[in-house]
Every structure is written in structure tokens, then in C-alpha cells.
Amino acid sequence: MARLVQFDRLGGPEVLTLHEVEVSAPGAGEVRIRVDAIGLNRAEIMFREGSYFDQPVFPSSLGYEAAGVVDAVGEGVDGFAEGDPVAVVPAFLQSEYGTYGDHVIVPASAVVPRAADVAPDRAAAVWMAYITAYGPLAESGRVRPGDHVLITAASSSVGLAAIQIARHVGAIPIATTRGAAKKQRLLDAGAAHVIVTDDEDLPDRIKEITDGVGVRLAFDPVAGPGVETIAQGIAPGGFLVVYGALDQRTTPLPNAQSYPALTSSTYTLFEITTDPERLRRAVAFVNAGLTSGSFTPVVDRTFDLADIAEAHRYMAVNGHVGKIVVTVTHDDTTA
């Protein structure tokens, strides 16, 4: 038997329940993984609440990231064998697959090798964060050495990954946080500057930091009306990339009439993870950074799988800096 987190209605963390289910065999093109750690993401809260672009089909599982070892492979799967250490990247719909369990089945296209010396809790904290930041900051070519990059809501796992990637490509990361409590932690994480938006005027501080030039790229997960304020700090010819919707109000992306030299766009990591060639490049880039020490995933706190509802409550409070990880223990006499 396997333990699997499911929910049968929309709602708060209390709808998440841990069930015992029969271990299924992977189908064609699928891999079954014996999970050791799970990385939590804001998308899973939104999915549980019904505010995500993908809607659950009940009873629904959930989850995008995990690390463990291959337990079985389905027909037509090449490159993986039982016992291989692996990690799962977000390359599927949560309405079809999920990673919250001790044995889960996912598409082989969403599985990447994991170095045996990388602990599962670290491996589970990598792929959503680093691939999300990789696209606009590294692959697009929009960010060059010496450019200033604005990273809003920077204490998230994606924000911290963006800080590290910006520094890795020679750019200058400017982080934002609402309150002063996280300022020093962001500086310690590598931000060149931190703007506390509850206390400081964002466009004014950007102009001060950049000597009036503005940032080359703003990387924002919040959206909503605040993008207008962000746009005021972007240099002519610069870019605004919105990759989330934490503020569910209408997002007035700056138009050419108001900001004629600004390019604004939305972005999701699925643009990369569902394209085999782009994913191959992203995995190579991230693994190189991990190997060199340029990239170090930050784990804020770990929870046990049995405490998954409490882990979701902790994430909803927004007090964390970095990734929240759920660890999975196995009873090998029954697993």
C-alpha cells in the first residue's frame, strides 16, 4: 500500500487528507517514484482553493515537485531504471498527476536524474524555483552582465533562485520585500540591494540605486495594479515579466502608449518544461550552477508527510524565506 494526499472538495488546508491506496503500476511513458521529499509551491495552494488555471477532478491529488528513487518504469521509458535517484520537474497538470505521496506515478518527461550526493530535501527544492527564474533571466538573453534586475516578493524560493541566477550571469539583483523583517536575510542571500516597499517608494529607490537609469528587467509574481508602479522603475528598452498572480485583481500590463519603450509579458515555466530541448538546456544550466556552488537551494522548514495540512498553513502565512519541504519516511516492511 502507498500513502497519498488527496482532497475531495475545494477549501483550506483541512481538506487535505492522507489515504492508503494500492500501489499502481506505471503506464506507458510513466515512472513510479519512491518519494523521499516533496517541495511545496504556491500553485498547490491555489489548486486546492480552486483559483489555479488548472481545476481539480475529485478525488484529486496535487503537487509538482519531489525527489526520490525510481521504483518502476512503464513501457517505452528509456534512460531510467529501478533504483535511480531522480527528481520531478513541473511538466504536467495537477489534475492528471501529483507528487504528494510516498509512491507516485508521473510522466517520464517530468523526471530528471539526481546526483546521488544531493540530499532529497535539497533536490526537491530546486526545479520549480530555478527553472522559473532561468527562462527570463538566462535563456531569453534579456539580462546582460552589469544590468540591474528587480526581483519582487524575493523571499520566495523563486525569488531566491532569481537572485542567485542574476549574480551568476553577472547582473545586479535588487530584491523587494514588504516588511523589514526579511531584509537582512535577502542581503545574506545575495541581493545587492533590498527595497522594503512598506517603508520606501519603489520607483524612487530604483532610480537612486541605478543612478536614474532604471532596471533592465523586472521579474514579478504578484501582478495586479502594482505592476504600474513597477513599470515606473524600468529603464527605456527594458522588460517587465509577470510570472504569477498572487494579487488576483486585474493586471493592467503597461501599454505602448504609456510606456513606449517597455516590453511587458507573462511567463510560466511550462514554456520550458513542456519543450524537451528547452528543458534539456535548463537542466544543464541549473546542474552546472549547483555543481559549481553558484546555486544553493534555500530550505526554510521541513514537515512530515503526515503534517501536510500544517505545512500548507505555514506556507499561507508568508513568513518563510525559501522552500518549504515535506519529508517522507518509509516502512520498508510494508512499502
Side-chain angles (χ1 to χ4, degrees):
M1 300 296 290
R3 294 179 296 158
L4 184 68
V5 175
Q6 294 179 309
F7 62 111
D8 58 10
R9 66 189 190 281
L10 302 178
E14 70 279 356
V15 304
L16 300 177
T17 55
L18 191 59
H19 296 277
E20 285 201 352
V21 299
E22 188 173 345
V23 177
S24 301
E30 295 179 333
V31 173
R32 189 174 71 213
I33 295 173
R34 183 182 188 269
V35 176
D36 294 312
I38 302 159
L40 302 195
N41 298 285
R42 186 71 52 181
E44 289 135 33
I45 285 184
M46 298 173 71
F47 183 69
R48 187 200 71 220
E49 294 175 338
S51 58
Y52 199 50
F53 75 89
D54 179 28
Q55 292 295 303
V57 178
F58 299 123
S60 180
S61 58
L62 73 168
Y64 273 133
E65 290 184 282
V69 298
V70 172
D71 193 51
V73 298
E75 182 181 352
V77 174
D78 296 321
F80 295 105
E82 185 176 342
D84 286 349
V86 293
V88 180
V89 302
F92 48 83
L93 296 176
Q94 290 183 92
S95 57
E96 298 177 354
Y97 295 94
T99 60
Y100 284 22
D102 60 10
H103 291 78
V104 301
I105 293 173
V106 295
S109 58
V111 179
V112 297
R114 169 175 62 91
D117 60 350
V118 176
D121 63 333
R122 298 289 163 176
V126 171
W127 296 106
M128 173 71 88
Y130 285 88
I131 292 180
T132 299
Y134 159 82
L137 273 73
E139 188 188 64
S140 68
R142 293 172 174 175
V143 177
R144 303 161 303 199
D147 285 342
H148 288 88
V149 176
L150 181 71
I151 301 162
T152 62
S155 60
S156 70
S157 58
V158 175
L160 295 174
I163 289 171
Q164 294 178 15
I165 290 176
R167 295 183 67 92
H168 185 68
V169 300
I172 304 165
I174 304 171
T176 78
T177 181
R178 291 178 58 185
K182 297 179 180 179
K183 179 175 181 177
Q184 188 56 50
R185 294 187 69 177
L186 289 171
L187 291 169
D188 293 343
H193 307 273
V194 177
I195 301 173
V196 180
T197 56
D198 281 353
D199 302 329
E200 302 174 276
D201 182 89
L202 181 63
D204 285 350
R205 281 288 290 129
I206 291 173
K207 290 176 183 176
E208 180 182 341
I209 292 167
T210 64
D211 294 326
V213 175
V215 298
R216 168 77 172 173
L217 180 138
F219 187 54
D220 175 58
V222 181
V227 296
E228 291 277 11
T229 303
I230 294 171
Q232 296 173 36
I234 299 176
F239 302 88
L240 167 63
V241 177
V242 177
Y243 70 93
L246 297 179
D247 186 335
Q248 305 240 327
R249 293 176 291 175
T250 300
T251 301
L253 286 179
N255 56 50
Q257 184 176 4
S258 301
Y259 300 91
L262 170 64
T263 300
S264 59
S265 63
T266 58
Y267 162 82
T268 77
L269 87 164
F270 296 108
E271 297 174 27
I272 302 227
T273 61
T274 58
D275 182 319
E277 180 57 23
R278 296 181 75 184
L279 178 59
R280 183 193 65 78
R281 292 197 302 266
V283 170
F285 177 86
V286 174
N287 276 333
L290 293 171
T291 300
S292 70
S294 294
F295 303 157
T296 304
V298 177
V299 175
D300 177 274
R301 183 174 171 184
T302 61
F303 291 82
D304 186 79
L305 182 62
D307 300 319
I308 187 64
E310 187 58 33
H312 267 231
R313 291 187 185 95
Y314 181 71
M315 182 162 51
V317 173
N318 292 323
H320 58 288
V321 175
K323 198 77 165 181
I324 300 167
V325 172
V326 169
T327 57
V328 181
T329 55
H330 293 269
D331 180 355
D332 288 324
T333 64
T334 59

